[in-house]
């Protein structure tokens, strides 16, 4: 299968610019970052977007949407010159803004007006969107902190490779952990563990150099290399060796 050369060896960086901004201290417990993406493509480009357990609020193309957690990769076609401004909420925090289980919007895109009401920001910059979100800041919920801590533990501790281990670390039953993730994160703990462990593999790809594919499979708790490859392909839509050519 012939590949678009613009996706190989970081070629996309010649056509796209991504910038990131921190939220105000008042929003930092709920918002992970603001982000902007600008692109200029004379010919349409199929952009692969890999998933994380963040809910996003995005403004672009004349739309404002809430993007629920995606269980797999997405393809978005970029063409011409355009710009998107986005908000990445901390995993576990969007339940307060949504007022419902975050699993109800998993793998869905809903109009932002359904969550935030009819009046949305028209100026897309950090101070304006920051002020808008502060106006909609909900009352706290103690279970939010529990959900955030659970995801942060997964992200920071590479020895967390099994749901049973995570439940034990948090002092929760397996059923209680599943309910917490469905309600506040929007996707199950097994998926989140797998996503962060596979992130360690893509970080090795980005660092460059040869990779012994049997080593990361064993390091990340996979029973065999075949299981690792199936998980990677299920998440990224490509085999590891194929995906590594992007770096």
């Amino acid at each position: 299968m012939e590949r678009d050369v613009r996706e190989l060896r970081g070629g996309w960086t010649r056509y796209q610019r991504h910038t990131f901004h921190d939220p105000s201290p008042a929003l930092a417990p709920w918002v992970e970052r603001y982000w902007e993406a600008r692109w200029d493509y004379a010919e349409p480009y199929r952009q692969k977007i890999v998933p994380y357990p963040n809910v996003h609020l995005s403004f672009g193309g004349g739309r404002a949407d809430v993007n629920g957690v995606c269980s797999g990769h997405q393809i978005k076609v970029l063409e011409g010159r355009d710009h998107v401004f986005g908000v990445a909420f901390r995993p576990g925090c969007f339940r307060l803004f949504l007022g419902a289980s975050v699993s109800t919007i998993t793998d869905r895109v809903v109009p932002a007006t359904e969550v935030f009401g009819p009046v949305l920001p028209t100026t897309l910059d950090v101070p304006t969107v920051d002020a808008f979100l502060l106006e909609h800041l909900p009352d706290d919920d103690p279970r939010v902190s529990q959900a955030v801590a659970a995801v942060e533990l997964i992200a920071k501790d590479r020895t967390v490779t099994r749901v049973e281990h995570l439940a034990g670390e948090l002092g929760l039953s397996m059923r209680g952990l599943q309910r917490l993730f469905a309600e506040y994160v929007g996707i199950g703990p097994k998926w989140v563990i797998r996503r962060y462990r596979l992130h360690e593999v893509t970080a090795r790809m980005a660092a460059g150099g040869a990779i012994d594919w049997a080593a990361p499979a064993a390091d990340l708790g996979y029973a065999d290399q075949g299981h690792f490859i199936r998980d990677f392909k299920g998440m990224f839509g490509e085999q590891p060796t194929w995906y590594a050519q992007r770096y």
Side-chain angles (χ1 to χ4, degrees):
M1 180 178 175
E2 188 174 347
R3 299 187 70 171
D4 188 330
V5 296
R6 295 172 294 179
E7 74 181 20
L8 300 176
R9 294 175 294 281
W12 61 271
T13 59
R14 295 194 293 272
Y15 306 90
Q16 298 182 44
R17 293 292 180 269
H18 294 220
T19 54
F20 303 93
H21 313 281
D22 293 330
S24 65
L27 275 175
W30 293 274
V31 172
E32 187 170 290
R33 65 185 178 276
Y34 295 106
W35 54 269
E36 294 181 84
R38 298 178 183 275
W39 60 87
D40 189 353
Y41 284 104
E43 298 293 332
Y45 176 71
R46 288 170 56 83
Q47 174 74 48
K48 175 165 286 190
I49 301 173
V50 297
Y52 275 100
N54 301 84
V55 174
H56 292 261
L57 170 62
S58 62
F59 301 87
R63 298 176 53 88
D65 293 310
V66 170
N67 304 264
V69 176
C70 291
S71 58
H73 72 279
Q74 295 178 291
I75 299 292
K76 290 190 181 294
V77 178
L78 307 181
E79 55 186 323
R81 182 177 296 176
D82 215 336
H83 169 234
V84 174
F85 183 96
V87 183
F89 292 89
R90 291 191 182 280
C93 289
F94 199 71
R95 172 70 173 78
L96 295 176
F97 294 91
L98 186 63
S101 171
V102 182
S103 64
T104 61
I105 61 169
T106 297
D107 288 320
R108 293 179 58 209
V109 177
V110 299
T113 52
E114 291 186 12
V115 178
F116 294 99
V119 181
L120 299 172
T122 53
T123 300
L124 300 180
D125 58 27
V126 170
T128 303
V129 178
D130 205 278
F132 168 77
L133 291 176
L134 283 171
E135 291 175 1
H136 290 80
L137 200 61
D139 293 332
D140 201 0
D141 174 344
R143 297 204 72 203
V144 167
S145 298
Q146 191 177 31
V148 170
V151 177
E152 287 181 347
L153 178 62
I154 294 169
K156 294 175 181 177
D157 187 349
R158 67 193 305 266
T159 68
V160 178
T161 59
R162 297 179 60 82
V163 176
E164 297 86 348
H165 179 185
L166 179 64
E169 289 290 321
L170 298 172
L172 293 171
S173 67
M174 291 284 287
R175 188 172 181 181
L177 183 66
Q178 296 285 356
R179 284 198 301 263
L180 178 71
F181 271 68
E183 188 75 14
Y184 289 86
V185 182
I187 200 161
K190 182 178 180 180
W191 185 97
V192 178
I193 291 171
R194 181 175 59 176
R195 178 63 190 96
Y196 278 105
R197 297 295 76 84
L198 291 176
H199 167 74
E200 295 170 26
V201 178
T202 58
R204 296 185 194 186
M205 294 176 183
I211 297 176
D212 174 4
W213 293 109
D219 291 347
L220 301 177
Y222 285 95
D224 54 58
Q225 190 174 351
H227 185 192
F228 159 69
I229 291 172
R230 286 193 298 274
D231 260 10
F232 191 99
K233 189 174 181 180
M235 187 73 69
F236 295 95
E238 298 174 1
Q239 299 230 4
T241 51
W242 189 262
Y243 193 83
Q245 296 174 38
R246 294 176 177 272
Y247 293 94

